[in-house]
Amino acid sequence: WMESRMRLSLEVRHTQVLLDLLDDLQTVSSAIVQPRACRIQRETNAAGLAAECDLRWLTIRQETPR
């Protein structure tokens, strides 16, 4: 296994957009994507939300031919 830890930062209008994105990441065929934590806060102009999510991206390490 290889593990990459990632932080996703984005601004969205509705929480459903963030939930749909996290669901879409579950369909990545080359990896297992595990959301670990998300922090969401309302933007100061109240036009949307700022979100920051920590993810684990797991892939299988391919053996190199000898």
Side-chain angles (χ1 to χ4, degrees), residues 14-47:
H14 304 283
T15 54
Q16 190 61 48
V17 175
L18 176 61
L19 294 173
D20 290 344
L21 173 64
L22 294 173
D23 280 344
D24 287 346
L25 287 173
Q26 300 298 308
T27 65
V28 173
S29 62
S30 61
I32 297 170
V33 181
Q34 296 178 327
R36 304 307 288 167
C38 288
R39 291 163 296 287
I40 302 170
Q41 64 185 32
R42 189 162 304 283
E43 287 290 317
T44 54
N45 61 9

Side-chain angles (χ1 to χ4, degrees), residues 1-6 31-32 34 36 55-61:
W1 289 102
M2 290 190 327
E3 176 183 344
S4 298
R5 293 177 186 244
M6 299 180 177
I32 297 170
Q34 296 178 327
R36 304 307 288 167
L55 308 171
R56 287 177 63 203
W57 193 283
L58 304 168
T59 56
I60 295 176
R61 183 180 306 201

